[in-house]
Amino acid sequence: MAIALVTGSAGLIGAEAVRFLAEKGLDVVGIDNDMRAYFFGAEASTDWSREQLETGLKSQYRHFMADIRELDALEPVFREYGSDIALVLHTAAQPSHDWAAREPITDFTVNANGTLNLLELTRKHCPEAAFIFTSTNKVYGDTPNRLPLVELETRWEIDQSHPFYADGIDESMSIDGTLHSLFGASKVAADVLVQEYGRYFGLKTGVFRGGCLTGPGHSGAELHGFLAYLAKCALTGRAYTVFGYKGKQVRDNIHSHDLVNAFWHFFQAPRAGEVYNIGGGRHANCSMLEAISMAEEIAGKAFNWSYSEENRVGDHIWWISDISKFKNHFPDWNLQYDMQGIMEQVMDGQRARLVTAV
């Protein structure tokens, strides 16, 4: 039986992947020690998600509460399953650039050292496995902010004469000479390591540089999980703060199912050291103001928000991913969820958890 090993398996992307891969007939081994609760507090814990996986999938899923920073904790898992591991899907991370500045060593050891541990164990125990890494568009730092941007009524937009206007930002953008944030720097280190293990050692590694990854399974917190936290505030009346850029900053959003489906396509025909920008692209994107408007409409009430002129360090003003490279390599893959569909599902997911919490 082929085994898929998923890190961060109780998180948004990890849990989506576990279910997706199990439906495809793989047995899944999950690694997740719920550090999200340490990063963002008890309300961001993914323990509820782990319980759902263990209860719902039973013998098809096995969970390990291991820390990816600890090689000695990971080695027995890889040794037990060995060459039966056909896929290593690495989604575990410290995901917030604000939080990274609080504990730079924790951030770097989770994001960079943890990735190195997983790569080396893959090379040692299952070198034929595909290795997929969830990177981030923050590897480009604030370089996107140098693009020629135009202020519109509800959003910033790139000038129509620029090559990125039609499809978004592609992989040709430099990652050098820019302010990354410490989170961005730790993810750059991991990103380059994954590429190098593909190019130097020949492992079948794929790097997916995501924008906003979202979906109904997100445990949103103020410092991470843009749409999920916004939805939670819309439903509960909790105050929400928009930081900088007049609330017109733009993000593309990709539903967790669409992203995991992209991983599946790569797994079917993996490459060595490949890099893809991945996100909602021109198909699914919004500004903060536009997201607030959608949330108000779906919730049926006014949104309690305020504005702070101070933007987050290294934050993007405008980001839309050009996903054409991935689509050229895997033409059978397509986005299923548009912005309205994503927002409705995120709101439904938050409603369900608020009812459970009561």
Side-chain angles (χ1 to χ4, degrees), residues 65-133:
M65 295 286 288
D67 190 325
I68 62 171
R69 295 173 293 177
E70 299 174 4
L71 190 63
D72 290 345
L74 295 175
E75 177 109 45
V77 181
F78 278 82
R79 188 186 305 118
E80 179 175 350
Y81 294 99
S83 60
D84 287 338
I85 300 174
L87 169 64
V88 177
L89 175 52
H90 178 27
T91 77
Q94 189 298 108
S96 166
H97 46 124
D98 292 310
W99 194 94
R102 300 178 183 175
E103 293 187 29
I105 293 175
T106 302
D107 172 77
F108 195 87
T109 52
V110 169
N111 289 346
N113 295 42
T115 301
L116 179 59
N117 287 340
L118 292 159
L119 285 165
E120 191 57 19
L121 290 170
T122 299
R123 185 168 76 97
K124 180 178 178 181
H125 293 282
C126 49
E128 296 304 313
F131 188 105
I132 295 173
F133 174 57

Side-chain angles (χ1 to χ4, degrees), residues 191-212:
D191 184 304
V192 173
L193 278 168
V194 176
Q195 293 183 57
E196 199 64 20
Y197 267 71
R199 292 174 179 155
Y200 192 91
F201 292 119
L203 294 188
K204 293 175 277 192
T205 61
V207 173
F208 288 76
R209 293 173 174 170
C212 286

Side-chain angles (χ1 to χ4, degrees), residues 39 54 56 72 90 98 116 152 180 188 259 263 277 313 356:
F39 299 143
E54 291 184 312
D72 290 345
H90 178 27
D98 292 310
L116 179 59
L152 303 180
H180 286 93
V188 164
L259 180 60
F263 294 160
N277 285 355
V313 176
T356 303

